[in-house]
Amino acid sequence: MSSNPRQKEGVLLCISGPSGVGKGSSITRLKELDPDLWVSVSMTTRAPRAGEQEGLSYFFCSQDEFRKKIDEGEILEHDEFCGQFYGTPKGPILEKIREGRDVALDITVAGSLAIMRQIPAAVSVFLLPPDMTTLRDRLQGRATENQEQLLKRLEKARAEIRLAPRFHYVLVNKDLSKTAATLAAIMAAERCRSDREKLRIDQLLEEGDRFLDDLRR
């Protein structure tokens, strides 16, 4: 993807899991451990709410503009909710990766699977709750849904958990600090993959050729 063959690309980390599992909190804690991590910002067609800032909370655009970006392949994945579109813009993510920055996405299960199809190098992590009782308690603690809505959330969670084996890593989010530390370890391991270190290997081989030539003279 990189236009500069001498630039090592960053890691794209997609973090998914059922609603209430703690995706956003985990990424916030991960960024505390790695301040240089860039967290992707979604795009939406809904109007900004009080306190939301362009480029920080969301990228805001019209529905016509959103549809145009879909047609042009500029949206990696998208969904529709209450008549409004939400999606992941491709440009900023690829730009950061090309700069060598690591990128994290708080994204739906379907969204991660879509990105994995488009960007094979993407690394996916599925967060699991310790148990369904804990997930229920976390959802109830948000106090944003009635009993019927809560049941639908739990039913959807069970359906999404069936897809966990399709992800590269599965991590139980029992302790937020341990979860963030494990995510940081995953990122560190991914940076050391042989295919990601090809640039460094090639550079050492070139240096070795020059070094041996000098010794032979």
Short mmCIF file of all heavy atoms in Angstrom, two decimals, residues 36 48 53 128 139 152 197 213:
data_model
loop_
_atom_site.label_atom_id
_atom_site.label_comp_id
_atom_site.label_asym_id
_atom_site.label_seq_id
_atom_site.Cartn_x
_atom_site.Cartn_y
_atom_site.Cartn_z
N ASP A 36 1.05 7.29 20.66
CA ASP A 36 1.18 7.54 19.23
C ASP A 36 0.12 6.79 18.42
O ASP A 36 -0.02 7.02 17.22
CB ASP A 36 2.58 7.13 18.75
CG ASP A 36 2.90 7.72 17.38
OD1 ASP A 36 2.68 8.94 17.19
OD2 ASP A 36 3.36 6.97 16.50
N PRO A 48 -24.42 17.00 13.90
CA PRO A 48 -23.59 16.99 15.11
C PRO A 48 -24.42 17.27 16.36
O PRO A 48 -25.34 18.10 16.34
CB PRO A 48 -22.57 18.11 14.86
CG PRO A 48 -22.58 18.33 13.39
CD PRO A 48 -23.97 18.01 12.93
N GLN A 53 -17.20 17.46 17.80
CA GLN A 53 -16.33 18.25 16.94
C GLN A 53 -16.00 17.48 15.66
O GLN A 53 -15.75 16.27 15.69
CB GLN A 53 -15.02 18.57 17.67
CG GLN A 53 -15.21 19.39 18.94
CD GLN A 53 -13.89 19.69 19.61
OE1 GLN A 53 -12.93 20.12 18.96
NE2 GLN A 53 -13.81 19.46 20.90
N LEU A 128 -14.46 -10.79 24.16
CA LEU A 128 -15.54 -11.56 24.77
C LEU A 128 -15.80 -11.06 26.19
O LEU A 128 -14.85 -10.65 26.88
CB LEU A 128 -15.15 -13.04 24.85
CG LEU A 128 -15.10 -13.87 23.58
CD1 LEU A 128 -14.54 -15.25 23.91
CD2 LEU A 128 -16.48 -13.98 22.95
N LEU A 139 -24.67 -3.99 30.28
CA LEU A 139 -25.69 -3.33 29.47
C LEU A 139 -26.74 -2.66 30.35
O LEU A 139 -27.18 -1.53 30.07
CB LEU A 139 -26.35 -4.35 28.54
CG LEU A 139 -25.48 -4.86 27.38
CD1 LEU A 139 -26.14 -6.05 26.71
CD2 LEU A 139 -25.23 -3.75 26.37
N LYS A 152 -32.90 -8.09 23.11
CA LYS A 152 -32.45 -8.09 21.72
C LYS A 152 -30.93 -7.92 21.65
O LYS A 152 -30.27 -8.54 20.81
CB LYS A 152 -33.15 -6.98 20.94
CG LYS A 152 -34.63 -7.27 20.66
CD LYS A 152 -35.25 -6.16 19.84
CE LYS A 152 -36.72 -6.46 19.54
NZ LYS A 152 -37.36 -5.37 18.74
N GLU A 197 8.59 -6.92 8.59
CA GLU A 197 9.99 -6.53 8.76
C GLU A 197 10.80 -6.73 7.48
O GLU A 197 12.03 -6.70 7.51
CB GLU A 197 10.61 -7.34 9.90
CG GLU A 197 10.14 -6.91 11.28
CD GLU A 197 10.64 -5.54 11.68
OE1 GLU A 197 11.43 -4.93 10.91
OE2 GLU A 197 10.25 -5.06 12.76
N ASP A 213 31.84 -6.01 0.62
CA ASP A 213 32.64 -5.46 -0.49
C ASP A 213 33.81 -4.65 0.02
O ASP A 213 34.92 -4.73 -0.49
CB ASP A 213 31.75 -4.61 -1.41
CG ASP A 213 30.82 -5.46 -2.27
OD1 ASP A 213 31.05 -6.68 -2.39
OD2 ASP A 213 29.83 -4.88 -2.81
#
